[in-house]
Amino acid sequence: DMEQMERLQQEWQGLFERCATPCIFLSPAWHVAWWRAFKGASEAHIVTVRDASQRLVGIAPLQLRRDVWRGLRVRVLGSYNNDHASRTNFLIDPAHTQAVTHAIAQQLVQSQWHWDVLHLQQLPQQAAWVTSFTQACQAAGLTPFAPTPGVAKCTITLHGTWQDFLANRSSHFRSRLKENMRRVQKHGRVEYRRSGGTAEDFAVFEKLEQSSWKAQ
C-alpha cells in the first residue's frame, strides 16, 4: 500500500543511487507519484530482495491488474507503464545480479496463485539482468518468452559535441531553436545540465509538471 511504499523510499533511493541508472522513471519519488495518480483498480506488487545484513539489494516494482488477452480474462502482473512512464526496469545491485534475479523468480513462483501472466514492457535493451532472470524463471518451472523489440523512444543520440550536432541540422531547425531559446531567456537566466536522477532533480521535474495541465 502507499504507506509501505513511502516507508521504503529512503532505502529505495539508496539502491537507486548505487545502481548507476540515472533514469527518473526508476526513482522511488516517481513510483510514489505515479501510484497516487494512476492507481485505478490496480494493486501494487513490489518485490524487495535483501542480503544477509538486510541491506536492500534488489527491487522489482510491479502492479497487478485485470485484462483481456485473446478473449481470455487474465490477471496481469506487470511493470508500471502508460504515457507518463515510458521506461521501466528492475533495480539490482550490480554485485548481486544472479542472486537477486533468482530470488525474484522464486517469489513469483510462491505467489503464482495470485497472477496468470507476467508482462514487463519498455525495458532497456542493455539491461544486464534480463538473461539471468529468464534463466532463473525457467529453472523455477515458469515458461518465459524471449524479449521482443519494442517501439523506439524519442531520444537524440549525440556523436561529438552539441555544436557538432547543430552543424548537421537544417537552417530551419537552427533558427527555430534560437527562437525558442530567446523566448525562454526573456523569463530569466537559462542553464543546461544533465540530470543524475536525484531527489532534487525530481523536485524540479515535479514543479514543472504541476505548472502544466498535468497538475490535474
Side-chain angles (χ1 to χ4, degrees):
D1 57 25
M2 281 300 305
E3 186 177 341
Q4 290 174 307
M5 198 182 298
E6 288 172 350
R7 284 202 301 266
L8 189 62
Q9 278 195 86
Q10 186 173 351
E11 286 185 289
W12 189 336
Q13 181 67 27
L15 175 61
F16 174 81
E17 292 171 3
R18 295 201 311 275
C19 287
T21 50
C23 174
I24 199 168
F25 298 119
L26 305 182
S27 69
W30 172 263
H31 280 274
V32 169
W34 191 97
W35 197 253
R36 285 175 178 155
F38 303 114
K39 175 183 177 181
S42 300
E43 299 175 24
H45 188 100
I46 299 179
V47 182
T48 58
V49 182
R50 299 178 182 277
D51 63 11
S53 65
Q54 293 303 302
R55 186 190 197 195
L56 187 67
V57 293
I59 187 164
L62 305 171
Q63 63 165 325
L64 184 66
R65 58 184 173 82
R66 296 185 179 275
D67 205 346
V68 178
W69 284 22
R70 299 183 181 275
L72 297 176
R73 294 186 181 277
V74 293
R75 296 165 301 172
V76 179
L77 185 61
S79 46
Y80 290 28
N81 293 104
N82 64 4
D83 291 341
H84 302 279
S86 60
R87 303 176 189 174
T88 190
N89 206 344
F90 288 177
L91 280 179
I92 300 176
D93 188 313
H96 299 276
T97 300
Q98 190 169 354
V100 169
T101 54
H102 175 78
I104 294 174
Q106 290 297 320
Q107 198 282 333
L108 291 173
V109 170
Q110 293 168 14
S111 65
Q112 61 183 330
W113 58 270
H114 203 49
W115 57 275
D116 303 306
V117 177
L118 176 69
H119 190 214
L120 305 177
Q121 303 178 76
Q122 300 299 351
L123 299 174
Q125 192 172 29
Q126 69 276 18
W129 58 267
V130 172
T131 299
S132 177
F133 178 66
T134 302
Q135 293 170 349
C137 286
Q138 193 164 16
L142 301 174
T143 306
F145 293 87
T148 56
V151 178
K153 294 301 169 185
C154 296
T155 59
I156 298 175
T157 301
L158 294 180
H159 298 288
T161 67
W162 175 248
Q163 294 303 323
D164 293 333
F165 172 78
L166 289 180
N168 291 318
R169 301 296 98 185
S170 67
S171 58
H172 176 72
F173 178 93
R174 292 194 296 270
S175 64
R176 288 298 304 274
L177 179 62
K178 288 179 181 178
E179 178 186 340
N180 287 329
M181 289 177 67
R182 282 195 295 269
R183 291 172 62 190
V184 173
Q185 288 167 344
K186 285 181 180 179
H187 297 277
R189 184 175 171 214
V190 179
E191 292 181 348
Y192 297 90
R193 66 182 176 87
R194 182 172 180 172
S195 168
T198 65
E200 289 77 14
D201 290 338
F202 183 83
V204 174
F205 175 80
E206 186 177 34
K207 185 177 179 180
L208 288 171
E209 292 288 85
Q210 287 176 341
S211 66
S212 74
W213 62 269
K214 293 181 182 179
Q216 302 303 318

